[in-house]
Amino acid sequence: MRIQVGDVRLFFDVEGTKLVAEGPWMRERQTVVLLHPGPGFDHGLFKVQLGPWLSSGSQVVYTDLRGGGRSDRSTPEKRRLERWADDVKELCDAIGIVRPIVLGLGFGSVVALKYACRHADHPAALVLAAPVARIVPELSIATYERLGGPEAGAVAERFYGGMDERGFADFLRVCFPLLSTYPLTSDVIARADWRPEVLMEWMLGEAKELDLREELAGVQAPALVLAGEDDAWAPLGSAREVAELLPGHARFRSYTRARHSVFRDAPEAYEDMRLFLDDIEARELDT
Amino acid sequence: MKVAVNGVALFFDVEGAKVRPDGPWMRDHPTALLLPTGPGLDHSLYKEHLGPSLAEVAQVVYLDLRGSGRSDWSSADHWTLETWTDDVIAFCERLELQRPALLGTGIGGAIAIEVAAQRPDLVDRLVLVSTVARYVHSRSVAEFDRIGGPEAGEVAARYYADPTELNFADFMRICVPLYTRRPLPPDTIARVEMNLALTAHWDATSARDFDVRAAAARVQCPVLVLAGERDPATTIAGIAELVEALPARALRYERYPDTGHGVFRDRPEAIGVVGEFLHASQPA
């Protein structure tokens, strides 16, 4: 399905019903909106494990952020965090999703944070997997080097220094595989519907000046922050910084040997998420 | 979820992803839009068996029509086949449903026929469950009489002639339990959100004169018709009349003996027939 939101049509897909038959009742479940890494990627990688797992207890809404997947491409001046964040809010409003739990991974968690800053009373809760408030190249470069040796460190340095297409190709070859502990299979690569130019454009543009540190004080929703200790995209220090800057009520969990693909690499993250979602459900029922 | 169309907010729910990983592919699955048996009932009956089973092979979209369930109830002058048809068309367009299969029971089937006749570009195929082109009340009265005895026939005749609250209460008590062989469990009934004002209004107005035979003749897409031979609400004679009106080119007609209204409760195996039909390749 796609729906018009402002100047673009956004693709969304759904797994699991909102209302489930339970004895004499139609019970309402929570809705979890999933925001994919990127920008320029699509929602597909969530459909292997995370989405199906979540859909056993809640309604899961997948979306492709503007510029990626089956959503409209939009234009460079609108492929910016503010717009992506507002898209999330407007998508929810257009299809009647009220008080969602918004879950982002990597870039998706940055969008989730920006959305929660700009629309503080909209989400019921945030799950931030591998988030950053800003990009600190030295931390990422050091992690790539630690995981992949000097070549990986050098390629990452060129990538963060302002890459060209050649540097980007090297990054994909040498550094990208270091973002997860499991090898990317040909199936996973074949299924991805992604736009490398959108990623490059953002990394060379807005990412360089990204800094949400002050804004985070305005987030009202309770949050769970999940971090991989071997994540080169969102190094442990950056993820912890997010948890510390969120006002008062962020829960922080980090996992040894987990990389950017936190959920794949740290199955115990699912248990932490279950506890958090149960707490949110109880909290929402109270209000 | 809700979406605004034609000035009202329509509630919809979804089961099963449209796009699913399958080896190197992200594979699109058919969309099945389920139009509730009406009028005045919500989508919940579909969640018991049909929806969850179909979701294994298709993306299932449940919809509460204007006037029922969690959609805006609007007002009685909008509780017509025309408005519901316009709403379903607008709903498909607003959500960019990609040529869904429309599955309707009872009035839901009549709406599906109208949508397919008016907008062949929007609809891939139709599944018409216990659907008639028009009500001929004498047929239903005779069936109630045959299945439930003279009292059931009399109560039905009285209600059809004069759908007051009092007669409706009798009809609910005596006649509705005869709709299916297997009784509706109390929990299932408790889960339904009913707009009785709509039911009464419909029975006093459009139910008396709607006729989708002309629309049925214009349907171009493949059609699956499922019928119970022991259905006093939409009688087998009425369904046969609809089948006659539909173009024979891509029609599949399945009738089940000793089966009541809605078919799936008495014949769970019919759900498999629907799943198979949704995936059958279109005739050239």
Side-chain angles (χ1 to χ4, degrees), chain A residues 156-173:
Chain A
E157 197 165 351
R158 274 210 306 285
F159 177 77
Y160 283 102
M163 59 187 166
D164 52 17
E165 284 191 9
R166 177 61 204 275
F168 186 66
D170 285 343
F171 179 82
L172 286 180
R173 185 174 50 81

Side-chain angles (χ1 to χ4, degrees), chain A residues 101-120:
Chain A
I101 293 162
V102 176
L103 182 157
L105 172 61
F107 170 77
S109 69
V110 180
V111 175
L113 282 170
K114 188 73 177 177
Y115 146 83
C117 296
R118 289 173 65 79
H119 309 284

Side-chain angles (χ1 to χ4, degrees), chain B:
Chain B
M1 289 178 277
K2 281 186 179 183
V3 69
V5 300
N6 299 338
V8 293
L10 296 183
F11 176 88
F12 68 104
D13 207 348
V14 183
E15 192 151 8
K18 172 81 179 167
V19 184
R20 304 182 192 182
D22 177 14
W25 310 104
M26 289 302 280
R27 225 179 266 290
D28 278 16
H29 283 59
T31 299
L33 174 57
L34 308 190
L35 303 176
T37 164
L41 298 184
D42 69 353
H43 73 281
S44 64
L45 290 174
Y46 284 140
K47 281 205 169 134
E48 198 176 7
H49 303 296
L50 178 69
S53 299
L54 280 187
E56 287 167 23
V57 297
Q59 177 164 60
V60 174
V61 180
Y62 306 93
L63 176 66
D64 285 350
L65 295 167
R66 173 198 299 242
S68 47
R70 290 159 183 83
S71 290
D72 285 350
W73 282 20
S74 187
S75 54
D77 50 327
H78 290 112
W79 297 339
T80 64
L81 211 49
E82 291 73 32
T83 305
W84 290 321
T85 301
D86 291 345
D87 286 352
V88 171
I89 290 171
F91 177 80
C92 292
E93 288 182 324
R94 179 101 171 94
L95 291 179
E96 284 193 25
L97 298 188
Q98 293 164 29
R99 289 182 64 81
L102 302 185
L103 180 150
T105 305
I107 295 307
I111 297 166
I113 290 167
E114 285 288 346
V115 173
Q118 291 179 30
R119 293 295 304 273
D121 58 311
L122 286 182
V123 180
D124 190 60
R125 52 195 82 192
L126 294 182
V127 181
L128 306 174
V129 186
S130 308
T131 296
V132 292
R134 57 180 181 134
Y135 287 144
V136 178
H137 286 145
S138 57
R139 291 176 185 155
S140 286
V141 170
E143 275 302 288
F144 278 120
D145 185 88
R146 189 178 70 81
I147 298 168
E151 190 196 4
E154 280 158 29
V155 166
R158 217 163 40 237
Y159 175 64
Y160 290 138
D162 187 16
T164 60
E165 269 185 39
L166 190 66
N167 289 339
F168 183 65
D170 286 342
F171 185 80
M172 286 290 277
R173 187 168 52 82
I174 308 280
C175 295
V176 171
L178 300 171
Y179 272 37
T180 52
R181 290 293 278 179
R182 297 185 187 179
L184 282 170
D187 278 356
T188 306
I189 296 169
R191 287 196 298 259
V192 177
E193 264 198 26
M194 233 187 139
N195 180 354
L196 289 177
L198 192 160
T199 309
H201 176 81
W202 169 263
D203 286 336
T205 56
S206 305
R208 296 165 178 272
D209 57 16
F210 86 90
D211 187 343
V212 298
R213 280 179 294 177
R218 281 156 50 210
V219 169
Q220 293 161 27
C221 64
V223 182
L224 170 65
V225 174
L226 299 175
E229 293 182 356
R230 189 185 176 279
D231 177 354
T234 50
T235 62
I236 196 73
I239 292 169
E241 181 184 71
L242 169 66
V243 166
E244 204 144 299
L246 287 162
R249 199 176 66 91
L251 178 70
R252 179 171 170 193
Y253 179 29
E254 299 283 345
R255 42 192 292 176
Y256 296 91
D258 204 27
T259 299
H261 190 62
V263 176
F264 303 115
R265 173 161 309 279
D266 290 339
R267 295 286 172 176
E269 69 267 27
I271 295 173
V273 175
V274 175
E276 190 189 299
F277 176 74
L278 293 183
H279 280 267
S281 51
Q282 295 243 17

